[in-house]
Amino acid sequence: MNTVNVKSTRLLDEWLSCRTTEMASSQDVHVRICGQEIIKYDLEIKALIQDIRECPGPQSVLMDFNSKVKEKLNQLRLRIQNMEQMAKEQDRETDKQAILGETESHRRQNLSNQTAWRKANLACKLSIDNLEKDQLLNGGDSVRQRKATKESLVQTSGDITESLMSISRMMAQSVSQSEETIGTLATSSRTVLETDEEFKSMTGTIHFGRKLISKYNRRELTDKLLIFLAVALFLATVLYILKKRLFPFI
C-alpha cells in the first residue's frame, strides 16, 4: 500500500514537470533567418532610393530603378508576413509578443521607405524636367523635345499615381493586419488566463490527493496496530485456555 502511494505521488510530480517543459520552447531559428532577410531587403531598398535621388536621368534609368524598388518592396512585404505568421505559431506568449513587436517595427520601417521612395521620385523627376527645360532653351528640335517632355510628364504622373495607390493598399493592409494582431493578442490573453485558472484548480486537486494519501497511510498504520493487538489478545486467550485444560492444578 505504501509503495502504491509513493508511486502515485511521483507520477503526479512527473506529470506537472512534463507539462511545464512542453509549454517552454525556444525561438525558432527560422524567425532569425527571416529577420536577417528583412534587414537585407531594407538596406537594398534604401540604397536604391539613394540611387534615385542621385539619378541624373534619363527617364529609362529612373524607371529601371523604380522597377527594382517595387520588386524589393514585394519581397520585403512577403518576409514581414512570414514573420507575423511565425509569431502566431509560437508556443510561449513572451516569444509571440516579441516577434509581433519586431514585425510591427519592420512594417513601420517599410512604410517609411515607401514615403522616402515617393519623395525621391518626385525630386528626381523634377530634376530631369528642369534639365530638359534647359536643353529646350539651349536649342534643338523644339517640337521633338516638347513631345518628349509631355510623354515624360505623363509617365511621371502615371508612376506617381501608381506609387500612391501602392502605398494606399499597403497602409490598408497594414491596418487590417494590425486589427488581426490585436484580436490574436486578446485571444492569447484569454487563453493564458484560462490556463492559469486550470493550473490553480489542478494544484488544489493534487494537494487534496496528497492529503488523502497521507490519511490512508495513517489509517493503514492504525489498522496494523489494531490487528497486532487482536492477534496478541487471541494468542493470550488461547494460552490461558490451554493452561487451564492442561495444567488445572497451577
Side-chain angles (χ1 to χ4, degrees), residues 103-125:
T103 302
E104 189 63 27
S105 175
H106 289 313
R107 186 174 287 113
R108 289 194 298 268
Q109 184 62 42
N110 188 27
L111 291 176
S112 176
N113 287 339
Q114 293 181 41
T115 302
W117 175 40
R118 179 172 60 84
K119 292 180 179 179
N121 264 283
L122 292 174
C124 179
K125 289 171 183 177

Side-chain angles (χ1 to χ4, degrees), residues 18-236:
C18 290
R19 287 283 296 177
T20 304
T21 303
E22 289 175 359
M23 293 185 67
S25 60
S26 61
Q27 184 174 351
D28 193 350
V29 67
H30 295 294
V31 176
R32 293 194 296 272
I33 295 175
C34 185
Q36 291 173 359
E37 292 178 348
I38 289 175
I39 294 174
K40 182 189 74 172
Y41 289 134
D42 181 70
L43 293 176
E44 291 175 350
I45 290 171
K46 283 180 169 59
L48 288 170
I49 292 174
Q50 184 63 31
D51 291 337
I52 291 174
R53 290 195 185 99
E54 299 172 356
C55 177
Q59 288 288 341
S60 58
V61 176
L62 179 59
M63 291 174 62
D64 182 60
F65 280 139
N66 283 327
S67 176
K68 292 179 180 178
V69 172
K70 291 177 183 178
E71 180 182 356
K72 297 299 181 182
L73 283 174
N74 288 331
Q75 292 173 339
L76 179 59
R77 178 175 54 82
L78 291 175
R79 290 296 180 273
I80 291 174
Q81 291 176 350
N82 291 340
M83 178 173 283
E84 187 174 26
Q85 183 61 34
M86 291 178 188
K88 296 177 182 178
E89 295 173 354
Q90 294 296 314
D91 294 329
R92 292 197 306 180
E93 186 65 21
T94 54
D95 292 343
K96 181 184 295 184
Q97 298 296 336
I99 299 173
L100 286 175
E102 185 179 356
T103 302
E104 189 63 27
S105 175
H106 289 313
R107 186 174 287 113
R108 289 194 298 268
Q109 184 62 42
N110 188 27
L111 291 176
S112 176
N113 287 339
Q114 293 181 41
T115 302
W117 175 40
R118 179 172 60 84
K119 292 180 179 179
N121 264 283
L122 292 174
C124 179
K125 289 171 183 177
L126 181 60
S127 176
I128 293 174
D129 289 342
N130 291 334
L131 180 62
E132 291 177 349
K133 289 178 181 178
D134 292 340
Q135 291 175 351
L136 285 174
L137 293 175
N138 292 332
D141 190 352
S142 60
V143 176
R144 182 176 58 82
Q145 292 289 345
R146 191 177 297 109
K147 182 179 179 181
T149 301
K150 290 181 179 179
E151 291 178 352
S152 174
L153 290 175
V154 172
Q155 181 66 35
T156 300
S157 177
D159 290 342
I160 293 175
T161 302
E162 183 180 354
S163 298
L164 291 174
M165 292 179 64
S166 176
I167 292 173
S168 177
R169 288 193 297 268
M170 289 291 296
M171 292 181 68
Q173 184 179 5
S174 298
V175 171
S176 176
Q177 290 176 346
S178 297
E179 292 177 352
E180 183 180 352
T181 301
I182 292 172
T184 302
L185 291 176
T187 303
S188 300
S189 298
R190 288 194 298 270
T191 302
V192 170
L193 291 175
E194 292 174 357
T195 304
D196 183 61
E197 292 297 329
E198 181 181 350
F199 270 105
K200 288 181 180 178
S201 175
M202 193 177 302
T203 302
T205 303
I206 292 173
H207 288 327
F208 180 70
R210 287 178 176 174
K211 289 181 180 179
L212 287 178
I213 291 173
S214 299
K215 180 179 178 181
Y216 290 146
N217 287 336
R218 292 193 299 269
R219 178 63 60 84
E220 182 182 7
L221 180 62
T222 303
D223 292 344
K224 288 182 177 179
L225 181 60
L226 291 175
I227 291 171
F228 175 76
L229 292 175
V231 171
L233 180 60
F234 174 75
L235 292 176

